[in-house]
Amino acid sequence: MAKRSPMSWLNQLTDWFESRGVYIPGEESRAVDPVRDFGWLMVAWGAGVAVFILLFAFAV
């Protein structure tokens, strides 16, 4: 039985996001939509803030 690469899950997740329209090649001339273009950054920032708050909450 062949083992699957650990990166295969990440590749499948990337393909899933791309098929949903997160990245559309050749569409560089459109207007910037903050949620569409920077949504992943907003989610990462929110998760970072949540982890930061939880660290201080558990430290007390």
Side-chain angles (χ1 to χ4, degrees):
M1 186 161 131
K3 290 187 177 183
R4 295 183 69 178
S5 169
M7 295 300 288
S8 68
W9 179 80
L10 184 60
N11 287 335
Q12 288 176 355
L13 184 65
T14 304
D15 290 339
W16 180 79
F17 274 107
E18 286 181 355
S19 69
R20 292 243 184 295
V22 174
Y23 172 71
I24 300 174
E27 209 177 298
E28 290 87 12
S29 62
R30 64 180 169 77
V32 174
D33 180 15
V35 174
R36 182 179 175 129
D37 295 336
F38 303 108
W40 62 271
L41 186 59
M42 293 176 197
V43 170
W45 183 83
V49 169
V51 168
F52 185 74
I53 290 171
L54 286 174
L55 285 174
F56 280 102
F58 287 127
V60 173

